[in-house]
mmCIF file of all heavy atoms in Angstrom:
data_model
loop_
_atom_site.group_PDB
_atom_site.id
_atom_site.type_symbol
_atom_site.label_atom_id
_atom_site.label_comp_id
_atom_site.label_asym_id
_atom_site.label_seq_id
_atom_site.Cartn_x
_atom_site.Cartn_y
_atom_site.Cartn_z
ATOM 1 N N ILE A 134 -22.599 -4.543 15.940
ATOM 2 C CA ILE A 134 -21.388 -4.318 16.976
ATOM 3 C C ILE A 134 -20.256 -3.749 16.376
ATOM 4 O O ILE A 134 -19.465 -3.086 17.122
ATOM 5 C CB ILE A 134 -21.080 -5.877 17.507
ATOM 6 C CG1 ILE A 134 -22.264 -6.456 18.263
ATOM 7 C CG2 ILE A 134 -19.909 -5.816 18.457
ATOM 8 C CD1 ILE A 134 -21.976 -7.929 18.760
ATOM 9 N N LEU A 135 -20.093 -3.871 15.137
ATOM 10 C CA LEU A 135 -18.889 -3.345 14.436
ATOM 11 C C LEU A 135 -19.175 -1.936 13.846
ATOM 12 O O LEU A 135 -18.344 -1.394 12.986
ATOM 13 C CB LEU A 135 -18.425 -4.246 13.317
ATOM 14 C CG LEU A 135 -18.063 -5.680 13.719
ATOM 15 C CD1 LEU A 135 -17.577 -6.411 12.507
ATOM 16 C CD2 LEU A 135 -17.080 -5.703 14.861
ATOM 17 N N HIS A 136 -20.260 -1.389 14.205
ATOM 18 C CA HIS A 136 -20.590 0.041 13.695
ATOM 19 C C HIS A 136 -19.989 1.004 14.621
ATOM 20 O O HIS A 136 -20.538 1.775 15.428
ATOM 21 C CB HIS A 136 -22.128 0.176 13.723
ATOM 22 C CG HIS A 136 -22.768 -0.480 12.658
ATOM 23 N ND1 HIS A 136 -24.160 -0.569 12.435
ATOM 24 C CD2 HIS A 136 -22.286 -1.306 11.657
ATOM 25 C CE1 HIS A 136 -24.433 -1.289 11.349
ATOM 26 N NE2 HIS A 136 -23.362 -1.826 10.842
ATOM 27 N N LYS A 137 -18.593 1.028 14.606
ATOM 28 C CA LYS A 137 -17.757 1.872 15.447
ATOM 29 C C LYS A 137 -16.794 2.626 14.463
ATOM 30 O O LYS A 137 -16.448 2.066 13.479
ATOM 31 C CB LYS A 137 -17.035 1.131 16.578
ATOM 32 C CG LYS A 137 -18.059 0.271 17.494
ATOM 33 C CD LYS A 137 -17.198 -0.530 18.399
ATOM 34 C CE LYS A 137 -18.195 -1.419 19.297
ATOM 35 N NZ LYS A 137 -17.393 -2.203 20.202
ATOM 36 N N PRO A 138 -16.230 3.667 14.929
ATOM 37 C CA PRO A 138 -15.261 4.330 14.143
ATOM 38 C C PRO A 138 -14.025 3.422 13.742
ATOM 39 O O PRO A 138 -13.511 3.540 12.598
ATOM 40 C CB PRO A 138 -14.606 5.507 15.013
ATOM 41 C CG PRO A 138 -15.870 5.826 15.889
ATOM 42 C CD PRO A 138 -16.519 4.497 16.128
ATOM 43 N N MET A 139 -13.554 2.653 14.752
ATOM 44 C CA MET A 139 -12.381 1.740 14.476
ATOM 45 C C MET A 139 -12.737 0.851 13.178
ATOM 46 O O MET A 139 -11.855 0.718 12.309
ATOM 47 C CB MET A 139 -12.193 0.959 15.679
ATOM 48 C CG MET A 139 -11.033 -0.218 15.467
ATOM 49 S SD MET A 139 -10.954 -1.208 16.952
ATOM 50 C CE MET A 139 -9.753 -2.463 16.344
ATOM 51 N N TYR A 140 -14.003 0.291 13.239
ATOM 52 C CA TYR A 140 -14.265 -0.735 12.027
ATOM 53 C C TYR A 140 -14.694 0.076 10.801
ATOM 54 O O TYR A 140 -14.546 -0.423 9.677
ATOM 55 C CB TYR A 140 -15.315 -1.549 12.518
ATOM 56 C CG TYR A 140 -14.856 -2.436 13.670
ATOM 57 C CD1 TYR A 140 -15.405 -2.255 14.992
ATOM 58 C CD2 TYR A 140 -13.931 -3.346 13.527
ATOM 59 C CE1 TYR A 140 -14.985 -2.947 16.070
ATOM 60 C CE2 TYR A 140 -13.446 -4.145 14.611
ATOM 61 C CZ TYR A 140 -13.954 -3.915 15.843
ATOM 62 O OH TYR A 140 -13.499 -4.703 16.920
ATOM 63 N N PHE A 141 -15.213 1.377 10.932
ATOM 64 C CA PHE A 141 -15.440 2.232 9.753
ATOM 65 C C PHE A 141 -14.127 2.432 9.035
ATOM 66 O O PHE A 141 -14.077 2.304 7.807
ATOM 67 C CB PHE A 141 -15.973 3.566 10.326
ATOM 68 C CG PHE A 141 -16.130 4.519 9.119
ATOM 69 C CD1 PHE A 141 -17.066 4.561 8.172
ATOM 70 C CD2 PHE A 141 -15.145 5.671 9.122
ATOM 71 C CE1 PHE A 141 -16.973 5.427 7.130
ATOM 72 C CE2 PHE A 141 -15.201 6.592 8.221
ATOM 73 C CZ PHE A 141 -16.202 6.511 7.074
ATOM 74 N N PHE A 142 -13.041 2.678 9.799
ATOM 75 C CA PHE A 142 -11.792 2.951 9.084
ATOM 76 C C PHE A 142 -11.180 1.605 8.529
ATOM 77 O O PHE A 142 -10.465 1.703 7.562
ATOM 78 C CB PHE A 142 -10.757 3.579 10.069
ATOM 79 C CG PHE A 142 -11.142 5.047 10.466
ATOM 80 C CD1 PHE A 142 -11.320 5.396 11.760
ATOM 81 C CD2 PHE A 142 -11.383 6.014 9.415
ATOM 82 C CE1 PHE A 142 -11.684 6.722 12.125
ATOM 83 C CE2 PHE A 142 -11.664 7.288 9.798
ATOM 84 C CZ PHE A 142 -11.900 7.668 11.108
ATOM 85 N N LEU A 143 -11.402 0.574 9.322
ATOM 86 C CA LEU A 143 -10.957 -0.695 8.879
ATOM 87 C C LEU A 143 -11.599 -1.164 7.606
ATOM 88 O O LEU A 143 -10.920 -1.642 6.660
ATOM 89 C CB LEU A 143 -11.228 -1.791 9.897
ATOM 90 C CG LEU A 143 -10.932 -3.273 9.531
ATOM 91 C CD1 LEU A 143 -9.297 -3.453 9.303
ATOM 92 C CD2 LEU A 143 -11.189 -4.122 10.670
ATOM 93 N N ALA A 144 -12.887 -0.896 7.313
ATOM 94 C CA ALA A 144 -13.588 -1.192 6.127
ATOM 95 C C ALA A 144 -12.950 -0.357 4.930
ATOM 96 O O ALA A 144 -12.721 -0.863 3.880
ATOM 97 C CB ALA A 144 -14.995 -0.800 6.272
ATOM 98 N N ASN A 145 -12.698 0.932 5.288
ATOM 99 C CA ASN A 145 -12.080 1.809 4.204
ATOM 100 C C ASN A 145 -10.644 1.278 3.928
ATOM 101 O O ASN A 145 -10.242 1.219 2.668
ATOM 102 C CB ASN A 145 -11.789 3.272 4.813
ATOM 103 C CG ASN A 145 -13.085 4.159 4.559
ATOM 104 O OD1 ASN A 145 -13.094 4.806 3.592
ATOM 105 N ND2 ASN A 145 -14.001 4.087 5.452
ATOM 106 N N PHE A 146 -9.901 0.802 4.926
ATOM 107 C CA PHE A 146 -8.619 0.287 4.634
ATOM 108 C C PHE A 146 -8.673 -1.011 3.916
ATOM 109 O O PHE A 146 -7.851 -1.253 3.007
ATOM 110 C CB PHE A 146 -7.982 -0.008 6.026
ATOM 111 C CG PHE A 146 -6.539 -0.270 5.957
ATOM 112 C CD1 PHE A 146 -5.556 0.614 5.613
ATOM 113 C CD2 PHE A 146 -5.921 -1.568 6.186
ATOM 114 C CE1 PHE A 146 -4.268 0.377 5.571
ATOM 115 C CE2 PHE A 146 -4.664 -1.820 6.004
ATOM 116 C CZ PHE A 146 -3.732 -0.861 5.724
ATOM 117 N N SER A 147 -9.619 -1.798 4.097
ATOM 118 C CA SER A 147 -9.748 -3.039 3.386
ATOM 119 C C SER A 147 -10.137 -2.863 1.872
ATOM 120 O O SER A 147 -9.554 -3.433 0.984
ATOM 121 C CB SER A 147 -10.828 -4.009 3.957
ATOM 122 O OG SER A 147 -10.523 -4.410 5.249
ATOM 123 N N PHE A 148 -10.987 -1.839 1.618
ATOM 124 C CA PHE A 148 -11.328 -1.440 0.208
ATOM 125 C C PHE A 148 -10.143 -0.878 -0.505
ATOM 126 O O PHE A 148 -9.830 -1.147 -1.612
ATOM 127 C CB PHE A 148 -12.497 -0.470 0.253
ATOM 128 C CG PHE A 148 -12.910 -0.031 -1.189
ATOM 129 C CD1 PHE A 148 -13.497 -0.940 -1.978
ATOM 130 C CD2 PHE A 148 -12.634 1.230 -1.624
ATOM 131 C CE1 PHE A 148 -13.808 -0.515 -3.328
ATOM 132 C CE2 PHE A 148 -13.043 1.712 -2.832
ATOM 133 C CZ PHE A 148 -13.668 0.741 -3.754
ATOM 134 N N LEU A 149 -9.377 -0.058 0.307
ATOM 135 C CA LEU A 149 -8.127 0.407 -0.234
ATOM 136 C C LEU A 149 -7.127 -0.631 -0.624
ATOM 137 O O LEU A 149 -6.488 -0.610 -1.680
ATOM 138 C CB LEU A 149 -7.341 1.493 0.891
ATOM 139 C CG LEU A 149 -6.028 1.925 0.539
ATOM 140 C CD1 LEU A 149 -5.966 2.765 -0.769
ATOM 141 C CD2 LEU A 149 -5.456 2.556 1.707
ATOM 142 N N GLU A 150 -6.986 -1.684 0.183
ATOM 143 C CA GLU A 150 -6.080 -2.768 -0.119
ATOM 144 C C GLU A 150 -6.447 -3.500 -1.402
ATOM 145 O O GLU A 150 -5.610 -3.920 -2.175
ATOM 146 C CB GLU A 150 -5.989 -3.848 1.017
ATOM 147 C CG GLU A 150 -5.433 -3.167 2.355
ATOM 148 C CD GLU A 150 -3.882 -2.872 2.133
ATOM 149 O OE1 GLU A 150 -3.552 -1.939 1.401
ATOM 150 O OE2 GLU A 150 -3.108 -3.439 2.869
#
Side-chain angles (χ1 to χ4, degrees):
I134 296 177
L135 302 184
H136 290 176
K137 303 174 184 177
M139 174 182 175
Y140 299 109
F141 169 74
F142 293 124
L143 179 57
N145 273 268
F146 192 71
S147 294
F148 182 67
L149 170 64
E150 293 295 63

